[in-house]
Amino acid sequence: MAVLFTLPLLAQSWESVKNNREYLCGEGWGSSIDEADKQALNALISKIAVNVSSSSSSSDKSTVKNGELDEVSQFSSSVNTYAQATLTNTERVIIKNEPDAHVGRWIKRSEIEKIFASRIAKAKDLVELALQAEAKGKADDALRNFYWSLTLLKSLQRPNEVTYTDMDGQSHLLVTWIPEKMNEVFDNLEAKIIKRTGDDVELFVTYKGKPVNSVDYTYFDGQGWSNIYSAKDGRGVLELASGNQSSTFQMKYEFEYRGQAQIDREIESVLNVVKSTPMRGAYTNLKASSVSKAPAREVARATFSSTDASVMAAPATVKDGSAYLSVINKVTKAIQTKNHSAVRNLFTDEGWDVYLRLIQYGNARLVGTPTCQFYQNGDGVIGRGVQMAFSFKTGVRKSFVEDVVFSFDSDKKITNIAFGLGNTAADDILNKGVWSENARMALMNFLENYKTAYGLKRLDYIRSVFDDDAVIIVGNVLRSATMDKDRESGVATISNNAIIKKNRYTKDQYLDNLKRCFASNEFINIRFANNDVYKMARGGEVYAIQIAQDYYSSTYGDKGYLFLLVDINNPDKPIIKVRTWQPEKDPNFGLYGPGDF
């Protein structure tokens, strides 16, 4: 924590600090304390960079080439990133107050090693996340976490000494092992063109022979590189410029994720100064002349679930779903022809409202041929098997593929439309055979409606599912006590209680913030990387849900951990009792769970 001396501190005291070889010091001047402090911190950083570089194990002493920093210059620059993100163990003295402010900053030389130890720990945590994602067929998460870990390693004092011990007890040198693991991911990815309709090209992407859970990519169609597109459960698209008759396309799997790095100031700052690592395995070529057949339903529904599909406790299917299939076919035709009024009579009033929101969610269109299955859900029926792509004009990401789930009432009218969880995430719930079928279906419906409500900006639904006294915590919470400035109020706090308090919201406060968020974004898209669900011992059908969540919007993207405590004693009216979100696991207690409330 920064130590702030009072103004009467004699100049001799500061001079004694500067002359003490146990410390590295910097000082700055300005018309305000903030300006002088910033200069002092920058001066201190320069001293740290010189000190650290002199003892670095970096062996690349080449000069500037092609306008890019050499390895040594990059390392010196990367030291600056510690101050921008994690340099919290410095001390400060105000030597002279405003308007002619003079500030000093210093750090013990012995503290410098601790800075690097924290970054090493984060690099290893990212490797853990990457391995977990790879096991679930989430190529996007695996590649991102591997690459971000590798980039952090490059900013270390002695990167060639950092090792990682895997589950088999084998030790690996991370700077060489991570690129090997990334190339393994690339080698196991395969993309094929299965259909071209006009300017739209449909892809099928597999990982280790199964439909990839999720992967991101860009493509070059002869005119330029696209924004980032996403494939889900194997399905992806290419959107070509009107009249483009190209028969071959170069595709690149995304792995740097610079647009998402804003979620972590430390990673973002390192990515900005460390030279990119080229990954030739990220590139592949697609040929329209070798169009493949669409995969069979059995293959398309393969997942990376740890539970064998043969023992899944799947919900009961409807024996004759022809009437429901007829309704869905009419709706999908209306979407293709944009003749939406022709199907108004197939919806209830609420269902029609959701449908209108759906078709306005970017440029909505069908992907592939629907292979629908229908499941009993109380007095109603749920239909799954339709996939759609949604494209947007703004934002780093431009296109998403989503499963679209239809809910029917007893009159076979559509009451609701939601974005599906995805095969693997759905299996996490469906495989809970110890729970009743009603409970599993209610949880599926709740999670799908929850994520859809954010995408379609259904503030009314979100308001209805939150308890009036819900505990809502958002942001970087429960950190060690440090000076922290509230972005909205500008007030600096130094106590743990104050930091927790400023991130806790009432239901109305949370909804007001959400309303502003909806208004400022063209789109919002939420994906659940995985979800762990636990039934509470008390309260009947009350469940604790821990979710790794990816959040994308036209102005912002992040990845973090969502915790929900939800009451589904009335399956038609779920109630959220607790909602927390944290960008990373807290070093002291990990993730929020039911025992914290």
Side-chain angles (χ1 to χ4, degrees):
M1 187 193 304
V3 174
L4 182 62
F5 284 87
T6 57
L7 292 179
L9 178 72
L10 298 177
Q12 292 93 322
S13 299
W14 170 239
E15 289 300 321
S16 66
V17 171
K18 289 199 297 182
N19 293 328
N20 191 330
R21 290 191 56 80
E22 291 184 9
Y23 303 106
L24 292 175
C25 304
E27 54 189 325
W29 295 261
S31 59
S32 68
I33 295 296
D34 283 347
E35 181 183 352
D37 186 44
K38 186 178 296 183
Q39 287 192 15
L41 191 57
N42 287 336
L44 174 59
I45 293 165
S46 297
K47 294 282 185 66
I48 296 174
V50 172
N51 180 270
V52 171
S53 296
S54 64
S55 60
S56 169
S57 65
S58 175
S59 59
D60 189 344
K61 305 295 182 182
S62 60
T63 58
V64 175
K65 295 181 179 180
N66 300 323
E68 292 184 338
L69 289 171
D70 61 27
E71 194 72 16
V72 174
S73 298
Q74 286 185 69
F75 178 75
S76 296
S77 298
S78 72
V79 175
N80 293 326
T81 66
Y82 291 96
Q84 296 172 29
T86 59
L87 196 59
T88 59
N89 50 350
T90 65
E91 299 184 79
R92 184 179 81 163
V93 57
I94 297 177
I95 304 167
K96 187 176 181 181
N97 208 340
E98 300 174 358
D100 300 312
H102 182 191
V103 172
R105 281 269 192 173
W106 73 95
I107 186 173
K108 286 186 177 181
R109 292 176 186 266
S110 60
E111 291 290 307
I112 295 176
E113 284 292 335
K114 295 179 182 179
I115 301 173
F116 292 103
S118 175
R119 188 160 289 185
I120 290 171
K122 176 172 281 193
K124 290 184 177 182
D125 285 345
L126 287 169
V127 169
E128 290 277 3
L129 292 172
L131 293 172
Q132 293 170 16
E134 190 278 333
K136 285 182 170 286
K138 290 189 63 63
D140 49 357
D141 281 357
L143 291 170
R144 175 183 58 208
N145 290 318
F146 273 137
Y147 186 77
W148 284 2
S149 176
L150 181 63
T151 304
L152 289 180
L153 290 172
K154 287 186 173 184
S155 71
L156 295 175
Q157 190 175 11
R158 289 178 286 274
N160 292 326
E161 296 179 6
V162 182
T163 60
Y164 173 82
T165 303
D166 63 21
M167 296 290 291
D168 297 325
Q170 293 185 320
S171 180
H172 305 277
L173 184 62
L174 281 181
V175 291
T176 56
W177 189 61
I178 289 178
E180 292 175 3
K181 297 300 292 182
M182 291 181 67
N183 281 323
E184 286 181 15
V185 175
F186 292 134
D187 289 344
N188 283 299
L189 285 166
E190 184 179 13
K192 295 180 179 179
I193 295 175
I194 58 174
K195 185 180 180 182
R196 177 168 181 170
T197 305
D199 298 323
D200 291 340
V201 177
E202 295 180 20
L203 303 180
F204 188 62
V205 188
T206 58
Y207 184 68
K208 295 183 178 180
K210 294 181 180 180
V212 66
N213 193 313
S214 54
V215 70
D216 298 325
Y217 58 92
T218 58
Y219 58 90
F220 186 82
D221 61 5
Q223 300 180 27
W225 284 94
S226 71
N227 287 342
I228 297 177
Y229 279 58
S230 295
K232 176 185 176 184
D233 290 335
R235 296 285 188 169
V237 296
L238 310 181
E239 293 180 296
L240 307 180
S242 180
N244 187 316
Q245 297 301 317
S246 298
S247 59
T248 60
F249 311 98
Q250 189 178 27
M251 180 171 163
K252 177 186 177 184
Y253 296 112
E254 173 64 17
F255 61 90
E256 293 191 37
Y257 290 96
R258 292 179 179 271
Q260 289 185 29
Q262 60 184 306
I263 68 176
D264 189 307
R265 289 185 301 163
E266 184 177 8
I267 292 174
E268 182 182 36
S269 57
V270 175
L271 285 172
N272 287 337
V273 300
V274 174
K275 185 178 179 181
S276 298
T277 302
M279 303 295 296
R280 294 186 179 276
Y283 295 88
T284 187
N285 293 316
L286 301 171
K287 294 184 179 180
S289 57
S290 57
V291 175
S292 301
K293 291 183 178 180
R297 176 186 299 175
E298 291 76 12
V299 176
R301 291 200 56 78
T303 74
F304 285 82
S305 172
S306 59
T307 303
D308 192 316
S310 64
V311 296
M312 278 178 52
T317 57
V318 175
K319 292 182 179 179
D320 183 8
S322 59
Y324 301 100
L325 180 61
S326 175
V327 172
I328 288 181
N329 285 337
K330 291 176 182 178
V331 172
T332 55
K333 182 178 179 180
I335 293 172
Q336 290 174 311
T337 61
K338 301 188 183 303
N339 184 18
H340 305 298
S341 60
V343 293
R344 172 62 183 90
N345 64 316
L346 302 178
F347 294 83
T348 63
D349 290 342
E350 182 178 359
W352 181 247
D353 176 69
V354 178
Y355 175 77
L356 293 178
R357 291 173 182 267
L358 178 81
I359 60 177
Q360 293 168 8
Y361 184 64
N363 178 24
R365 64 195 184 285
L366 292 171
V367 174
T369 302
T371 54
C372 296
Q373 289 184 301
F374 299 94
Y375 303 92
Q376 200 68 46
N377 183 40
D379 294 334
V381 167
I382 290 179
R384 301 179 181 274
V386 176
Q387 287 187 314
M388 295 179 65
F390 302 90
S391 301
F392 305 90
K393 297 178 180 178
T394 60
V396 175
R397 287 171 178 263
K398 189 179 179 182
S399 179
F400 301 90
V401 173
E402 291 284 0
D403 295 297
V404 179
V405 181
F406 293 84
S407 296
F408 297 85
D409 63 13
S410 57
D411 295 324
K412 298 183 176 58
K413 286 196 172 186
I414 298 172
T415 60
N416 189 40
I417 303 175
F419 295 148
L421 292 181
N423 292 338
T424 300
D427 286 350
D428 288 342
I429 294 175
L430 294 181
N431 287 331
K432 299 287 188 180
V434 295
W435 299 344
S436 70
E437 180 179 311
N438 288 339
R440 284 180 282 129
M441 291 298 292
L443 282 168
M444 283 274 290
N445 294 342
F446 164 72
L447 286 172
E448 290 176 339
N449 286 327
Y450 181 87
K451 72 188 290 285
T452 307
Y454 284 80
L456 302 187
K457 303 178 181 179
R458 292 190 60 194
L459 200 64
D460 57 337
Y461 174 82
I462 298 172
R463 184 182 299 277
S464 72
V465 296
F466 272 96
D467 188 89
D468 289 340
D469 298 319
V471 175
I472 303 173
I473 299 177
V474 180
N476 300 328
V477 293
L478 293 179
R479 288 185 170 180
S480 299
T482 59
M483 184 173 290
D484 190 23
K485 183 176 287 186
D486 188 295
R487 292 183 179 180
E488 294 182 3
S489 67
V491 176
T493 58
I494 59 173
S495 68
N496 274 334
N497 289 337
I499 292 174
I500 295 172
K501 185 176 180 180
K502 79 182 181 69
N503 288 285
R504 180 164 175 167
Y505 298 93
T506 66
K507 176 180 177 179
D508 287 340
Q509 288 172 332
Y510 176 71
L511 292 174
D512 285 345
N513 290 340
L514 199 58
K515 184 177 181 180
R516 288 193 292 270
C517 175
F518 286 170
S520 62
N521 282 284
E522 180 193 5
F523 71 87
I524 294 173
N525 186 273
I526 290 177
R527 290 192 175 183
F528 295 152
N530 61 278
N531 42 268
D532 297 317
V533 186
Y534 310 93
K535 190 175 188 298
M536 302 298 289
R538 300 178 181 178
E541 298 300 317
V542 178
Y543 293 82
I545 309 171
Q546 286 179 325
I547 304 168
Q549 174 185 278
D550 296 328
Y551 174 99
Y552 310 111
S553 73
S554 53
T555 61
Y556 175 74
D558 66 31
K559 177 179 176 62
Y561 299 93
L562 180 69
F563 172 75
L564 298 171
L565 188 66
V566 58
D567 182 335
I568 58 167
N569 280 291
N570 182 347
D572 296 327
K573 294 182 178 180
I575 296 295
I576 297 173
K577 299 292 187 179
V578 177
R579 179 199 186 272
T580 72
W581 185 88
Q582 56 192 116
E584 57 190 21
K585 295 181 180 179
D586 186 275
N588 296 317
F589 72 90
L591 297 177
Y592 275 124
D596 297 311
F597 302 94

